[in-house]
mmCIF file of all heavy atoms in Angstrom:
data_model
loop_
_atom_site.group_PDB
_atom_site.id
_atom_site.type_symbol
_atom_site.label_atom_id
_atom_site.label_comp_id
_atom_site.label_asym_id
_atom_site.label_seq_id
_atom_site.Cartn_x
_atom_site.Cartn_y
_atom_site.Cartn_z
ATOM 1 N N ARG T 104 15.777 -19.760 9.519
ATOM 2 C CA ARG T 104 14.346 -20.041 9.601
ATOM 3 C C ARG T 104 13.522 -18.892 9.030
ATOM 4 O O ARG T 104 12.545 -19.093 8.319
ATOM 5 C CB ARG T 104 14.008 -20.258 11.080
ATOM 6 C CG ARG T 104 12.619 -20.764 11.323
ATOM 7 C CD ARG T 104 12.330 -20.666 12.821
ATOM 8 N NE ARG T 104 10.900 -20.423 12.990
ATOM 9 C CZ ARG T 104 10.047 -21.353 13.356
ATOM 10 N NH1 ARG T 104 10.455 -22.554 13.599
ATOM 11 N NH2 ARG T 104 8.757 -21.054 13.473
ATOM 12 N N ARG T 105 13.950 -17.672 9.329
ATOM 13 C CA ARG T 105 13.203 -16.514 8.809
ATOM 14 C C ARG T 105 13.297 -16.442 7.281
ATOM 15 O O ARG T 105 12.372 -16.015 6.625
ATOM 16 C CB ARG T 105 13.723 -15.220 9.430
ATOM 17 C CG ARG T 105 13.255 -15.043 10.860
ATOM 18 C CD ARG T 105 13.413 -13.627 11.322
ATOM 19 N NE ARG T 105 13.019 -13.493 12.722
ATOM 20 C CZ ARG T 105 12.878 -12.350 13.335
ATOM 21 N NH1 ARG T 105 13.119 -11.220 12.695
ATOM 22 N NH2 ARG T 105 12.509 -12.311 14.590
ATOM 23 N N ARG T 106 14.434 -16.856 6.760
ATOM 24 C CA ARG T 106 14.586 -16.833 5.292
ATOM 25 C C ARG T 106 13.665 -17.860 4.645
ATOM 26 O O ARG T 106 13.086 -17.619 3.592
ATOM 27 C CB ARG T 106 16.037 -17.152 4.908
ATOM 28 C CG ARG T 106 16.977 -16.026 5.238
ATOM 29 C CD ARG T 106 18.046 -15.842 4.155
ATOM 30 N NE ARG T 106 18.815 -14.646 4.464
ATOM 31 C CZ ARG T 106 19.974 -14.665 5.144
ATOM 32 N NH1 ARG T 106 20.493 -15.811 5.539
ATOM 33 N NH2 ARG T 106 20.593 -13.529 5.396
ATOM 34 N N ARG T 107 13.531 -19.020 5.303
ATOM 35 C CA ARG T 107 12.732 -20.097 4.708
ATOM 36 C C ARG T 107 11.236 -19.859 4.881
ATOM 37 O O ARG T 107 10.447 -20.230 4.036
ATOM 38 C CB ARG T 107 13.132 -21.446 5.327
ATOM 39 C CG ARG T 107 14.411 -22.005 4.696
ATOM 40 C CD ARG T 107 14.748 -23.387 5.195
ATOM 41 N NE ARG T 107 15.205 -23.379 6.581
ATOM 42 C CZ ARG T 107 14.522 -23.850 7.618
ATOM 43 N NH1 ARG T 107 13.359 -24.401 7.451
ATOM 44 N NH2 ARG T 107 15.021 -23.785 8.836
ATOM 45 N N THR T 108 10.838 -19.262 6.001
ATOM 46 C CA THR T 108 9.409 -19.006 6.232
ATOM 47 C C THR T 108 9.194 -17.520 6.458
ATOM 48 O O THR T 108 9.091 -17.068 7.596
ATOM 49 C CB THR T 108 8.905 -19.766 7.480
ATOM 50 O OG1 THR T 108 9.870 -19.550 8.522
ATOM 51 C CG2 THR T 108 8.696 -21.220 7.239
ATOM 52 N N PRO T 109 9.127 -16.764 5.357
ATOM 53 C CA PRO T 109 8.983 -15.314 5.522
ATOM 54 C C PRO T 109 7.639 -14.946 6.165
ATOM 55 O O PRO T 109 6.601 -15.423 5.725
ATOM 56 C CB PRO T 109 9.060 -14.790 4.077
ATOM 57 C CG PRO T 109 9.425 -15.945 3.222
ATOM 58 C CD PRO T 109 9.082 -17.191 3.965
ATOM 59 N N GLU T 110 7.719 -14.214 7.252
ATOM 60 C CA GLU T 110 6.523 -13.692 7.931
ATOM 61 C C GLU T 110 6.832 -12.246 8.244
ATOM 62 O O GLU T 110 7.983 -11.842 8.215
ATOM 63 C CB GLU T 110 6.318 -14.366 9.303
ATOM 64 C CG GLU T 110 5.942 -15.805 9.280
ATOM 65 C CD GLU T 110 6.088 -16.403 10.698
ATOM 66 O OE1 GLU T 110 6.270 -15.643 11.679
ATOM 67 O OE2 GLU T 110 6.050 -17.634 10.794
ATOM 68 N N GLU T 111 5.800 -11.478 8.590
ATOM 69 C CA GLU T 111 6.025 -10.090 9.014
ATOM 70 C C GLU T 111 6.616 -10.083 10.416
ATOM 71 O O GLU T 111 6.083 -10.727 11.328
ATOM 72 C CB GLU T 111 4.685 -9.349 9.059
ATOM 73 C CG GLU T 111 4.249 -8.771 7.737
ATOM 74 C CD GLU T 111 5.099 -7.577 7.320
ATOM 75 O OE1 GLU T 111 5.147 -6.599 8.088
ATOM 76 O OE2 GLU T 111 5.719 -7.638 6.235
ATOM 77 N N HIS T 112 7.740 -9.396 10.604
ATOM 78 C CA HIS T 112 8.280 -9.220 11.959
ATOM 79 C C HIS T 112 8.576 -7.751 12.126
ATOM 80 O O HIS T 112 9.018 -7.101 11.174
ATOM 81 C CB HIS T 112 9.609 -9.975 12.119
ATOM 82 C CG HIS T 112 9.467 -11.460 12.181
ATOM 83 N ND1 HIS T 112 9.199 -12.123 13.347
ATOM 84 C CD2 HIS T 112 9.552 -12.400 11.212
ATOM 85 C CE1 HIS T 112 9.143 -13.421 13.097
ATOM 86 N NE2 HIS T 112 9.340 -13.612 11.811
ATOM 87 N N PHE T 113 8.328 -7.233 13.327
ATOM 88 C CA PHE T 113 8.830 -5.884 13.575
ATOM 89 C C PHE T 113 9.864 -5.987 14.687
ATOM 90 O O PHE T 113 9.534 -6.041 15.873
ATOM 91 C CB PHE T 113 7.713 -4.902 13.970
ATOM 92 C CG PHE T 113 8.281 -3.550 14.294
ATOM 93 C CD1 PHE T 113 8.655 -2.683 13.272
ATOM 94 C CD2 PHE T 113 8.523 -3.178 15.614
ATOM 95 C CE1 PHE T 113 9.245 -1.459 13.564
ATOM 96 C CE2 PHE T 113 9.121 -1.954 15.906
ATOM 97 C CZ PHE T 113 9.473 -1.103 14.879
ATOM 98 N N ASP T 114 11.122 -6.089 14.321
ATOM 99 C CA ASP T 114 12.194 -6.156 15.314
ATOM 100 C C ASP T 114 13.525 -5.839 14.624
ATOM 101 O O ASP T 114 13.583 -5.744 13.393
ATOM 102 C CB ASP T 114 12.222 -7.541 16.005
ATOM 103 C CG ASP T 114 12.174 -8.694 15.014
ATOM 104 O OD1 ASP T 114 12.827 -8.590 13.965
ATOM 105 O OD2 ASP T 114 11.485 -9.700 15.282
ATOM 106 N N PHE T 115 14.564 -5.664 15.432
ATOM 107 C CA PHE T 115 15.862 -5.285 14.860
ATOM 108 C C PHE T 115 16.369 -6.335 13.881
ATOM 109 O O PHE T 115 16.936 -6.004 12.850
ATOM 110 C CB PHE T 115 16.912 -5.057 15.958
ATOM 111 C CG PHE T 115 16.778 -3.738 16.659
ATOM 112 C CD1 PHE T 115 16.712 -3.658 18.044
ATOM 113 C CD2 PHE T 115 16.727 -2.552 15.932
ATOM 114 C CE1 PHE T 115 16.594 -2.437 18.689
ATOM 115 C CE2 PHE T 115 16.607 -1.330 16.569
ATOM 116 C CZ PHE T 115 16.536 -1.270 17.946
ATOM 117 N N LEU T 116 16.161 -7.624 14.202
ATOM 118 C CA LEU T 116 16.689 -8.658 13.308
ATOM 119 C C LEU T 116 16.102 -8.520 11.901
ATOM 120 O O LEU T 116 16.829 -8.555 10.911
ATOM 121 C CB LEU T 116 16.411 -10.066 13.874
ATOM 122 C CG LEU T 116 16.959 -11.217 13.030
ATOM 123 C CD1 LEU T 116 18.471 -11.089 12.805
ATOM 124 C CD2 LEU T 116 16.655 -12.580 13.666
#
Side-chain angles (χ1 to χ4, degrees):
R104 189 191 149 103
R105 284 197 183 190
R106 288 219 173 95
R107 280 186 289 109
T108 46
E110 291 167 11
E111 275 289 302
H112 288 275
F113 177 78
D114 49 40
F115 282 128
L116 182 57

